[in-house]
């Protein structure tokens, strides 16, 4: 059960990192267009999935 807790922590941490980075950039006035916002969230979604899968594998092995 600890494995799933680690995966959930990694997932939530990546979501928080994604939102905080986006809001921080937006508040600095760096213009995010609709297209760049779409690509940013697609890339971060892929990164979140990869981090979650790697965390699951590492937690399962150890």
């Amino acid at each position: 059960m600890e494995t799933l807790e680690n995966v959930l922590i990694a997932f939530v941490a990546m979501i928080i990192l994604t939102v905080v980075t986006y809001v921080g950039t937006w508040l600095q006035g760096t213009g995010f267009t609709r297209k760049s916002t779409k690509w940013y969230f697609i890339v971060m979604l892929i990164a979140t999935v990869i981090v979650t899968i790697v965390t699951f594998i590492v937690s399962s092995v150890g």
Side-chain angles (χ1 to χ4, degrees):
M1 194 65 180
E2 185 177 317
T3 300
L4 293 179
E5 290 174 4
N6 291 339
V7 170
L8 183 61
I9 290 169
F11 180 75
V12 170
M14 282 299 293
I15 296 296
I16 291 172
L17 177 69
T18 300
V19 171
V20 166
T21 304
Y22 182 79
V23 170
T25 305
W26 179 71
L27 287 175
Q28 288 179 359
T30 307
F32 262 119
T33 63
R34 185 179 296 270
K35 188 175 184 176
S36 63
T37 298
K38 178 182 77 171
W39 281 109
Y40 173 78
F41 280 109
I42 288 171
V43 168
M44 291 308 287
L45 176 65
I46 292 168
T48 301
V49 169
I50 290 170
V51 166
T52 304
I53 291 170
V54 169
T55 303
F56 180 74
I57 292 170
V58 170
S59 295
S60 296
V61 171

